[in-house]
Amino acid sequence: MNTSRLFGRAATVTAVVAGSLVLAVPAFAHVEVASETAQALATNATVTFTAEAESSTAGLAKFQVVLPEGIAPSDVALADAPQGWTFAATADGYTVGGPALPQGKDAVYKITIKQLPDAKELVFKTLETYSDGHIDRWIELPQGGAEPEHPAPTLKLAAAAPGATPIGTPSAAATGAAPSATPSASATTSASAAASGAPSVTASPSAASTASNSSDSSSSATPIAIGAAVVVVLAVGGAWWWRRKRSAAS
């Protein structure tokens, strides 16, 4: 067989096989996420999203994102976006969009997050809408080590910096010393009395005080009573003596 003819057939077969392989692998346009401050508990972190345009008839017009756990919609703000695009918070994330981009033009926008959560990675499930209404759902997660066809944008985070804490966590100095957990004896007695319906012990005079006051009153009243009795006796005796004397004189 002619050598040149043999090489020609081999080249043809190779081209057909290569073409078949290319056609067998779908060309999906991913939505990528990146950040220069991809670190757990980083504050005011700017996160960039890049979406590849894959439609041959329409342009990218809107993105709807579900925020990962640990990030509230109120903690997110739009940092940069295509001209005319606006940002709106939703119950579980946000939307950003506006006038459709030209067909084939990638979309790039940035958000600022108040603080990244203490996690190893953040998953931003995204719905990508084109101007003709077509929606690509980038919400799938890897399973069994296989890369999904429509993977959700995922941001890997480095470990938190030493001493980093979540915003809003009070420090010991700010809160001061903790109140004592053991109530005083008087407080316990008052609380028990209130719970049982009995009068509070501390609200009435003690038995010792009452007895002391009664004893003092009795002690001070005794000399007065004795003195009054003496006066009565003297008065009666004087009257009797005077009447006897008068009778004898008569």
Side-chain angles (χ1 to χ4, degrees):
M1 182 180 288
N2 192 319
T3 304
S4 60
R5 189 175 180 180
L6 179 62
F7 278 110
R9 287 185 178 179
T12 301
V13 172
T14 302
V16 171
V17 173
S20 300
L21 291 175
V22 170
L23 293 176
V25 179
F28 291 110
H30 290 56
V31 176
E32 304 291 344
V33 58
S35 177
E36 295 182 355
T37 53
Q39 184 176 26
L41 298 180
T43 57
N44 297 321
T46 299
V47 179
T48 303
F49 292 85
T50 303
E52 301 174 10
E54 67 172 348
S55 175
S56 59
T57 59
L60 292 168
K62 179 183 176 182
F63 293 88
Q64 181 176 345
V65 178
V66 176
L67 290 169
E69 184 177 357
I71 302 178
S74 58
D75 292 336
V76 180
L78 184 64
D80 189 27
Q83 185 175 4
W85 283 28
T86 58
F87 176 93
T90 62
D92 57 0
Y94 64 87
T95 61
V96 59
L101 300 178
Q103 178 268 323
K105 182 177 178 60
D106 296 344
V108 179
Y109 73 90
K110 300 179 181 181
I111 60 172
T112 300
I113 301 175
K114 185 177 181 180
Q115 184 179 39
L116 299 181
D118 190 3
K120 293 183 178 180
E121 64 179 22
L122 302 177
V123 178
F124 298 86
K125 294 184 178 182
T126 301
L127 300 183
E128 179 185 59
T129 304
Y130 286 85
S131 56
D132 60 359
H134 175 75
I135 298 177
D136 284 337
R137 292 172 169 81
W138 302 99
I139 60 175
E140 299 175 1
L141 301 177
Q143 293 183 354
E147 180 71 12
E149 291 183 351
H150 289 79
T154 302
L155 180 64
K156 302 291 184 180
L157 298 183
T165 57
I167 295 176
T169 301
S171 63
T175 58
S180 173
T182 305
S184 64
S186 59
T188 303
T189 303
S190 300
S192 300
S196 61
S200 173
V201 174
T202 57
S204 60
S206 65
S209 299
T210 304
S212 176
N213 292 338
S214 299
S215 176
D216 292 343
S217 299
S218 300
S219 299
S220 57
T222 300
I224 297 175
I226 295 173
V230 171
V231 170
V232 171
V233 170
L234 291 177
V236 172
W240 177 79
W241 177 82
W242 180 78
R243 291 176 69 181
R244 269 183 74 100
K245 184 176 181 182
R246 186 177 179 183
S247 299
S250 301

